[in-house]
C-alpha cells in the first residue's frame, strides 16, 4: 500500500447531515472522489489518506483494499472475500423471502405471509422487524427481496435504517435490495389511477412484458429500463429480478404475460435493450465500465427457458416441473440469453445475474440426469458458465431447496429432481452445480451444512476457494453500484424521483403504444363524438391463490365511471346507448395457471386436467395419449402418465363470454366493442363474429384504452404471440416451437398471427413487421 498508511487520519467534520426517521446518516464530500455516506451510530469512521476520504468499514483504523474506492471492482471484491468468514460468505449467498415496507415478511398482503401475521418492532413504518434484524445479523444476509412499499419516503427511510444496521455489523457490507417487476398496471378486479399530464404518481406505470413486446420497439424498452432503474435506486433497490426472457412458445403458460413473446428475434432485442437500460450509468453517474449510481443489476430469467412447460403447467408446482422439447428446439430458447442478455450494446457487457427456472429441462442434459435447472451441473456449469463464458451471479429461483408439498397441486418447496434429498444436501448439490445464491432462504444453517459436506468430500481448501468464488461474484454487484461508498437515500429526493411527471408520461405513452386493435368492422372505431356508452358490469369469480385460499366473487364496474364520463355519456340501460364497451380478461383457471385437479386424483384419475384458452367448456379430445415426462417419484410415484386426454374443464371466468354475448343481444345492431386483457394465448372464435371491434391490452389502464377508442391516439401495437384458431391446434402444437399454430381468422379476413395489428388505415405494415414478422 506504499506510504498510504503514513498519512491516515480520522476526520469527523461532515459537509451535510440528514435525519431519516429514527436514524441519522451523514455525507462526506470528496473533492476528487465519490461522496461518502455513513451512519454515526454504526461505529464507522472516516479515514483521510493523501487528502482523500474513505470509510473504515471494518473499524480497524486502516485503509483496506476493499475500502479503497480508487481500486477496481475485482480487486476490492477479491480482497473482501478473503477477509470474510465462512459464515459471512454463507450469509451473502442468501436471498431473503418476500419483505414489505413497512417491515413485514409477506406473501402478497402487508403484514401476513400465507395468512399468518408477522410482528413489527418499533413505532415507525420504516423500522426493521425482529425477523429482519435476525437474518441480517445472525444469518449475515445481505440480499433482501422487497415487494410492497408504502411510499417512496418510507422506502428510503427503511433503507437507511437497514443500511445503518448492517454497516454496524462485521465488515460493514451494505445490503443489495431487489424487486420483482413493479411497474405494470393493474389488471382484473381494479383500475389504474387516472393519468393526468404534468401530474406525478406512486410509480410510473407501464405495460407488462407482453405489452412492451407489443410495441415492437426495443428503444422504448431501453428507455423503460433507464427510467425504472432511477426509480428503483430512489427506493433503495439495486437489483431487478428481471427481465423475464423465456420464449412464450407454449401459449397456455400463465407466465407468458411477463415475457417478450414467442419470437426469438424480438425477445433477443428486447432483452438486450431492457438490460442496457437498467444497468447503464453515464456521465457523472458512471463509476466505471458503464456501472454507477443510476445502475441496477439485472437478474435475467429464466435460464435456459421456462417457456416450454409440458401442457402449459407451471413449474412453481410439482404438476409443472417438466419443460419439454418435442420439437428438438432447445438451442432456440437460449438465443435471448446468448445473443441478447450476454451481448449488450452498453459498456456493462452482460446481465450481472442469471436465475434458472424451477423446471427440469427434460432429457436435455448430456450427462443423462433430469434435475431442476438449479441443481444441474450440465445446465449451470457446462452450458452457462463454460460453453457461454458466463461468470456473473447465478441465483436459484425461490424455495428450490425446501421440501415439496404432499400433493402436486399444493404450493411449497420446489426441489424437482432431488425430492428425496435433505435440505442441506440440496444446497450442496446446487453449489456443486455452480450456483452462487439461494432465493427465498433466510437462514445460513443449511449453507454451512453444505460447506461441511464439501469439506468432507473435497477438502477445506477446495471449499474455501469455492465459497470465495461465489463471494467475489456477489460482491461485484454491490461494489459496481457504489453502495460501499454511499448506500443512503435522501427521502425528499426519492419522493421527487419516483413517479415524477416525466416518468409518468413516458409510461403512459408506452401503454398507448402497446394496445393492439384486432378488429375494426366497417371502421366502427374511432368513436370521436360524445355518444352514449353502455359498459356492463363484470363478474369476477372466486379463484384459488397459490396457497389454496379462495378469493371472494364480485360483480362490479370494470372501469371508473367518472373517467368514462370525460369521453362519453354513460348509461346502465343498453336500450339508451349508442354503443357498448365490454371489458373482459382472457380465459384463466385459478391463480396457478391450471392443469391439476385434486378432486380428479381423489376420484381415481391421475390429477392432470387440460388448461383451456377458451371460455366455454372444453374437452381435450386431441391431447397426447402419453405425456412426454413421467410422474412425481416421491409424492405420487404411481403416476407414470400425465396425459389428460378426454378430460373436461371450464375457464374460471367463463362468465366473461356470457357478458359479451348478452351485450350483443341487448344492443341489437348497435356497435359492441370488446376490450380484452391478454396474458397468454386465447381462442377468439367463441365471440369474435358477434362483435364489431376488439382491442387487446396487456395490463394497462382503461384510460389508455379510452384514448384509443375515442381517437385521441391511433393504435399501433402488434401481437407478440399467435392467437390460436381453436383448442385443437393448441393441443397439436409443440411446447418448444414458435409460430406453429393455426391462427384465428376473423370475419374481416384478418389472421391473428404474430406481428398482426390494425391502425385506422388497416393492417399495419411497417419497418417493425419487416424486421420481426414471420418469414415464410
Amino acid at each position: 500500500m506504499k506510504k498510504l498508511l503514513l498519512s491516515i487520519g480520522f476526520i469527523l467534520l461532515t459537509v451535510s447531515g440528514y435525519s431519516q426517521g429514527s436514524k441519522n446518516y451523514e455525507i462526506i464530500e470528496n473533492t476528487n472522489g465519490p461522496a461518502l455516506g455513513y451512519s454515526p451510530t454504526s461505529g464507522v469512521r472516516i479515514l483521510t489518506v493523501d487528502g482523500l476520504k474513505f470509510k473504515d468499514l471494518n473499524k480497524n483504523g486502516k485503509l483496506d483494499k476493499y475500502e479503497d474506492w480508487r481500486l477496481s471492482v475485482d480487486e476490492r471484491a477479491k480482497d473482501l472475500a478473503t477477509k470474510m468468514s465462512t459464515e459471512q460468505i454463507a450469509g451473502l449467498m442468501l436471498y431473503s423471502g418476500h419483505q414489505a415496507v413497512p417491515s413485514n415478511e409477506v406473501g402478497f398482503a402487508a403484514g401476513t405471509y400465507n395468512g399468518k401475521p408477522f410482528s413489527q418492532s418499533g413505532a415507525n413504518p420504516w423500522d426493521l422487524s425482529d425477523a429482519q434484524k435476525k437474518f441480517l445479523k445472525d444469518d449475515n444476509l445481505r440480499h433482501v427481496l422487497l415487494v410492497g412499499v408504502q411510499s417512496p419516503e418510507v422506502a428510503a427511510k427503511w433503507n437507511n435504517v437497514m443500511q445503518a444496521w448492517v454497516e454496524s455489523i462485521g465488515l460493514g457490507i451494505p445490503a443489495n435490495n431487489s424487486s420483482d417487476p413493479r411497474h405494470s398496471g393493474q389488471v382484473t378486479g381494479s383500475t389504474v389511477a387516472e393519468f393526468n399530464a404534468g401530474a406525478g404518481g406512486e410509480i410510473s406505470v407501464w405495460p407488462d412484458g407482453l405489452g412492451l413486446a407489443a410495441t415492437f420497439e426495443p428503444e422504448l424498452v431501453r428507455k423503460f429500463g433507464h427510467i425504472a432503474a432511477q426509480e428503483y435506486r430512489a427506493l433503495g433497490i439495486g437489483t431487478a429480478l428481471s427481465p423475464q426472457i423465456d420464449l412464450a412458445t407454449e401459449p397456455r403458460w400463465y407466465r407468458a404475460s411477463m415475457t417478450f413473446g414467442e419470437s426469438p428475434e424480438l425477445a433477443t432485442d428486447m432483452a438486450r435493450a431492457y438490460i442496457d437500460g437498467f444497468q447503464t450509468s453515464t456521465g457523472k453517474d458512471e463509476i466505471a465500465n458503464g456501472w454507477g449510481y443510476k445502475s441496477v443489476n439485472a437478474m435475467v430469467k429464466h435460464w435456459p427457458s421456462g417457456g416450454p412447460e409440458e401442457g402449459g403447467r407451471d413449474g412453481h408446482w410439482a404438476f409443472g416441473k417438466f419443460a419439454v422439447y418435442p420439437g428438438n428446439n432447445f438451442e432456440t430458447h437460449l438465443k435471448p440469453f446468448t445473443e441478447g442478455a450476454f451481448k449488450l450494446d452498453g459498456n456493462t457487457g452482460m446481465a450481472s445475474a442469471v436465475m434458472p427456472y424451477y423446471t427440469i429441462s427434460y432429457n436435455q442434459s448430456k450427462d443423462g440426469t433430469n434435475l431442476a435447472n438449479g441443481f444441474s451441473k450440465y445446465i449451470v456449469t457446462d452450458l452457462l458458465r463454460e460453453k457461454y463464458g458466463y461468470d456473473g451471479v447465478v441465483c436459484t429461483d425461490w424455495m428450490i431447496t425446501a421440501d415439496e408439498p404432499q400433493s402436486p397441486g399444493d404450493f411449497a418447496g420446489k426441489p424437482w429432481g432431488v425430492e428425496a434429498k435433505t435440505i442441506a444436501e440440496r444446497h450442496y448439490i446446487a453449489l456443486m452445480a455452480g450456483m452462487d445464491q439461494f432465493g427465498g432462504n433466510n437462514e445460513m444453517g443449511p449453507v454451512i451444512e453444505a460447506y461441511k459436506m464439501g469439506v468432507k468430500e473435497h477438502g477445506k481448501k477446495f471449499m474455501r476457494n469455492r465459497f470465495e468464488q461465489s463471494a467475489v461474484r456477489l460482491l461485484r454487484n454491490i461494489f459496481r453500484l457504489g453502495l460501499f461508498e454511499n448506500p443512503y437515500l435522501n427521502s425528499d429526493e426519492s419522493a421527487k424521483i419516483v413517479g415524477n411527471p416525466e416518468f409518468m408520461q413516458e409510461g403512459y405513452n408506452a401503454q398507448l403504444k402497446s394496445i393492439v386493435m384486432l378488429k375494426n368492422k366497417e371502421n366502427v372505431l374511432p368513436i370521436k363524438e360524445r355518444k352514449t356508452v353502455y359498459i356492463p358490469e363484470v363478474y369476477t369469480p372466486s379463484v384459488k391463490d397459490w396457497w389454496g385460499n379462495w378469493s371472494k366473487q364480485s360483480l362490479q364496474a370494470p372501469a371508473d365511471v367518472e373517467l368514462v364520463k370525460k369521453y362519453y355519456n354513460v348509461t346502465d340501460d343498453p336500450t339508451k346507448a349508442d354503443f357498448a364497451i365490454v371489458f373482459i380478461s382472457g380465459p384463466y383457471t385459478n391463480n396457478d395457471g391450471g392443469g391439476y385437479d385434486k378432486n380428479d386424483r381423489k376420484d381415481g384419475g391421475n390429477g392432470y386436467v387440460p388448461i383451456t384458452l377458451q371460455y366455454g367448456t372444453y374437452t381435450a379430445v386431441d391431447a397426447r395419449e402419453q405425456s412426454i415426462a413421467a410422474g412425481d417419484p416421491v409424492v405420487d410415484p404411481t403416476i407414470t402418465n400425465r396425459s389428460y386426454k378426454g378430460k373436461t374443464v371450464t375457464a374460471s371466468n367463463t362468465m366473461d363470454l356470457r357478458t359479451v354475448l348478452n351485450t350483443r343481444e341487448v344492443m341489437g345492431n348497435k356497435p359492441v366493442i370488446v376490450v380484452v386483457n391478454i396474458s397468454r394465448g386465447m381462442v377468439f372464435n367463441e365471440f369474435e363474429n358477434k362483435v364489431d371491434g376488439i382491442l387487446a391490452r396487456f395490463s394497462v389502464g382503461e384510460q389508455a384504452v379510452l384514448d384509443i377508442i375515442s381517437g385521441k391516439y391511433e393504435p399501433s401495437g402488434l401481437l407478440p404471440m399467435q392467437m390460436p384458431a381453436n383448442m385443437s391446434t393448441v393441443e397439436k402444437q409443440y411446447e418448444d416451437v414458435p409460430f406453429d399454430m393455426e391462427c384465428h381468422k376473423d370475419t374481416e379476413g384478418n389472421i391473428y398471427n404474430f406481428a398482426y395489428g390494425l391502425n385506422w388505415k388497416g393492417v399495419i405494415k411497417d419497418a417493425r413487421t419487416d424486421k420481426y414478422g414471420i418469414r415464410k
Side-chain angles (χ1 to χ4, degrees):
M1 222 182 285
K2 297 183 180 180
K3 299 180 180 180
L4 291 180
L5 296 180
L6 296 179
S7 58
I8 284 182
F10 290 108
I11 182 165
L12 301 179
L13 177 65
T14 63
V15 174
S16 56
Y18 297 95
S19 177
Q20 298 292 341
S22 59
K23 301 289 182 181
N24 295 329
Y25 75 89
E26 295 180 350
I27 298 294
I28 303 296
E29 300 292 346
N30 260 313
T31 303
N32 295 307
L36 307 179
Y38 80 106
S39 171
T41 66
S42 70
V44 167
R45 304 183 77 179
I46 300 300
L47 305 174
T48 301
V49 179
D50 291 341
L52 300 174
K53 302 175 182 66
F54 304 85
K55 293 167 69 174
D56 184 17
L57 290 165
N58 62 1
K59 310 170 188 68
N60 66 354
K62 65 180 183 179
L63 182 64
D64 295 286
K65 284 185 177 182
Y66 85 92
E67 298 166 336
D68 190 344
W69 44 260
R70 296 169 299 182
L71 301 180
S72 70
V73 163
D74 274 356
E75 286 181 276
R76 299 178 73 185
K78 289 176 182 177
D79 176 66
L80 179 52
T82 63
K83 291 176 166 60
M84 297 176 72
S85 67
T86 301
E87 290 76 15
Q88 288 170 327
I89 295 177
L92 195 65
M93 290 177 169
L94 303 177
Y95 225 126
S96 81
H98 297 73
Q99 307 293 311
V101 179
S103 308
N104 292 282
E105 185 172 20
V106 300
F108 294 100
T112 64
Y113 179 80
N114 196 9
K116 299 177 181 179
F118 274 71
S119 63
Q120 177 177 327
S121 62
N124 298 311
W126 48 82
D127 287 336
L128 299 176
S129 70
D130 292 338
Q132 289 167 347
K133 289 180 180 178
K134 181 183 184 302
F135 66 57
L136 290 168
K137 184 177 182 179
D138 297 348
D139 293 286
N140 299 302
L141 186 148
R142 290 297 179 273
H143 293 82
V144 181
L145 173 58
L146 296 177
V147 281
V149 294
Q150 187 179 90
S151 69
E153 297 94 328
V154 170
K157 292 177 181 180
W158 181 87
N159 171 82
N160 294 344
V161 171
M162 185 265 299
Q163 295 290 7
W165 177 260
V166 297
E167 190 175 83
S168 70
I169 301 169
L171 296 166
I173 299 172
N176 182 1
N177 302 327
S178 70
S179 175
D180 280 313
R182 60 194 313 118
H183 285 82
S184 175
Q186 298 291 334
V187 197
T188 307
S190 63
T191 56
V192 176
E194 181 180 354
F195 169 75
N196 293 302
E202 293 181 0
I203 196 167
S204 61
V205 181
W206 299 69
D208 61 17
L210 272 184
L212 291 172
T215 70
F216 279 60
E217 293 185 26
E219 180 56 28
L220 181 149
V221 172
R222 188 204 63 78
K223 182 182 291 184
F224 161 71
H226 179 64
I227 288 173
Q230 294 175 68
E231 293 184 310
Y232 273 27
R233 291 302 298 266
L235 293 169
I237 296 168
T239 295
L241 302 187
S242 58
Q244 185 179 326
I245 62 174
D246 315 78
L247 291 181
T249 52
E250 168 46 63
R252 293 165 290 191
W253 188 36
Y254 93 110
R255 296 197 74 181
S257 64
M258 308 169 196
T259 74
F260 291 128
E262 66 180 301
S263 165
E265 291 75 21
L266 180 62
T268 295
D269 287 352
M270 291 296 195
R272 185 185 305 111
Y274 187 109
I275 299 165
D276 270 332
F278 265 92
Q279 292 190 168
T280 304
S281 291
T282 58
K284 62 181 178 59
D285 295 316
E286 183 178 4
I287 298 172
N289 302 316
W291 292 101
Y293 304 111
K294 295 293 176 65
S295 298
V296 169
N297 293 291
M299 184 180 289
V300 63
K301 57 189 186 184
H302 302 91
W303 176 264
S305 181
E309 298 268 12
E310 184 169 21
R313 298 182 296 269
D314 183 62
H316 278 86
W317 292 266
F319 59 68
K321 66 174 64 176
F322 295 106
V324 296
Y325 297 85
N328 297 316
N329 216 27
F330 182 81
E331 295 293 329
T332 298
H333 284 259
L334 303 183
K335 288 183 179 179
F337 296 90
T338 60
E339 301 300 317
F342 303 162
K343 290 184 179 180
L344 303 180
D345 292 331
N347 291 334
T348 63
M350 62 175 61
S352 65
V354 170
M355 181 187 294
Y357 203 41
Y358 295 117
T359 45
I360 295 169
S361 297
Y362 192 67
N363 286 347
Q364 298 305 305
S365 295
K366 293 183 179 179
D367 58 13
T369 60
N370 271 310
L371 304 176
N373 297 313
F375 296 115
S376 171
K377 179 181 178 295
Y378 173 78
I379 294 294
V380 178
T381 293
D382 299 355
L383 200 61
L384 177 60
R385 294 212 186 275
E386 294 180 358
K387 181 174 181 177
Y388 293 108
Y390 185 78
D391 192 38
V393 169
V394 185
C395 177
T396 74
D397 213 329
W398 263 233
M399 297 172 62
I400 76 164
T401 55
D403 291 331
E404 72 172 325
Q406 294 302 306
S407 166
D410 291 338
F411 184 84
K414 305 125 188 26
W416 315 145
V418 292
E419 296 91 343
K421 301 295 184 179
T422 68
I423 291 175
E425 287 170 339
R426 293 171 195 147
H427 282 77
Y428 181 57
I429 293 168
L431 282 170
M432 294 301 100
M435 302 301 296
D436 300 303
Q437 199 165 28
F438 301 95
N441 294 19
N442 291 358
E443 299 178 358
M444 70 175 180
V447 185
I448 295 299
E449 288 187 63
Y451 172 81
K452 293 176 181 178
M453 292 176 188
V455 170
K456 185 176 181 180
E457 182 174 356
H458 299 288
K460 189 172 183 179
K461 181 179 180 181
F462 174 91
M463 282 308 293
R464 178 66 198 186
N465 289 338
R466 175 66 190 85
F467 261 44
E468 285 191 21
Q469 182 183 48
S470 287
V472 169
R473 291 170 180 153
L474 291 161
L475 290 168
R476 282 183 194 140
N477 289 354
I478 307 177
F479 278 113
R480 285 166 169 165
L481 306 186
L483 292 175
F484 275 86
E485 279 57 69
N486 182 21
Y488 296 95
L489 299 171
N490 181 328
S491 63
D492 293 335
E493 288 300 314
S494 291
K496 292 177 183 178
I497 292 170
V498 180
N500 71 58
E502 178 188 351
F503 293 173
M504 295 296 290
Q505 182 69 63
E506 293 289 355
Y508 190 70
N509 292 345
Q511 291 185 50
L512 292 166
K513 287 186 174 183
S514 72
I515 294 172
V516 182
M517 185 163 69
L518 297 174
K519 186 174 183 178
N520 193 18
K521 184 178 180 180
E522 297 179 355
N523 294 320
V524 64
L525 297 175
I527 301 174
K528 296 182 178 181
E529 301 85 359
R530 187 174 181 82
K531 294 186 174 182
T532 300
V533 64
Y534 167 65
I535 301 178
E537 292 182 321
V538 172
Y539 172 75
T540 301
S542 175
V543 294
K544 184 175 61 176
D545 68 13
W546 286 15
W547 295 280
N549 304 309
W550 289 85
S551 64
K552 291 184 178 180
Q553 62 188 26
S554 65
L555 182 66
Q556 59 186 9
D560 181 356
V561 174
E562 295 305 313
L563 172 64
V564 179
K565 286 180 179 178
K566 294 184 178 182
Y567 298 82
Y568 305 108
N569 301 318
V570 180
T571 180
D572 58 6
D573 183 351
T575 65
K576 297 179 180 178
D578 297 306
F579 71 104
I581 304 176
V582 184
F583 290 91
I584 61 175
S585 296
Y588 61 86
T589 306
N590 294 324
N591 288 329
D592 59 8
Y596 190 84
D597 186 347
K598 289 183 181 180
N599 291 325
D600 178 85
R601 186 71 184 98
K602 185 178 180 180
D603 293 339
N606 62 5
Y608 293 87
V609 295
I611 294 175
T612 182
L613 299 183
Q614 68 181 42
Y615 295 102
T617 298
Y618 166 62
T619 300
V621 296
D622 292 316
R624 294 186 181 108
E625 293 278 0
Q626 173 68 47
S627 62
I628 295 174
D632 194 304
V634 177
V635 171
D636 208 349
T638 64
I639 302 302
T640 58
N641 184 5
R642 294 184 170 199
S643 174
Y644 48 81
K645 185 178 177 65
K647 294 183 181 180
T648 299
V649 294
T650 302
S652 295
N653 62 328
T654 185
M655 287 300 294
D656 278 4
L657 174 61
R658 179 47 52 195
T659 300
V660 174
L661 299 180
N662 287 350
T663 302
R664 171 76 281 165
E665 184 175 351
V666 298
M667 289 297 293
N669 294 325
K670 292 181 288 188
V672 174
I673 312 301
V674 169
V675 178
V676 57
N677 191 80
I678 292 180
S679 59
R680 52 183 167 182
M682 68 172 285
V683 173
F684 282 86
N685 66 16
E686 296 171 294
F687 68 87
E688 175 272 316
N689 64 348
K690 303 291 195 303
V691 302
D692 303 280
I694 301 175
L695 294 177
R697 61 170 171 163
F698 304 89
S699 299
V700 304
E702 290 75 28
Q703 185 177 358
V705 172
L706 291 168
D707 274 348
I708 297 290
I709 291 175
S710 65
K712 186 175 181 180
Y713 295 94
E714 184 171 17
S716 62
L718 303 169
L719 282 177
M721 59 191 303
Q722 293 182 320
M723 294 296 127
N726 48 54
M727 282 303 298
S728 177
T729 191
V730 172
E731 297 291 0
K732 294 174 181 177
Q733 57 89 36
Y734 285 164
E735 287 91 337
D736 60 324
V737 177
F739 315 137
D740 64 341
M741 291 192 296
E742 176 190 356
C743 297
H744 178 76
K745 183 176 182 179
D746 70 16
T747 60
E748 310 309 292
N750 294 318
I751 299 174
Y752 294 5
N753 208 338
F754 173 81
Y756 162 74
L758 299 171
N759 58 22
W760 302 142
K761 296 178 182 178
V763 177
I764 297 172
K765 299 292 184 184
D766 58 18
R768 299 173 300 161
T769 58
D770 288 344
K771 182 174 184 179
Y772 296 112
I774 300 174
R775 297 169 180 83
K776 297 181 179 179

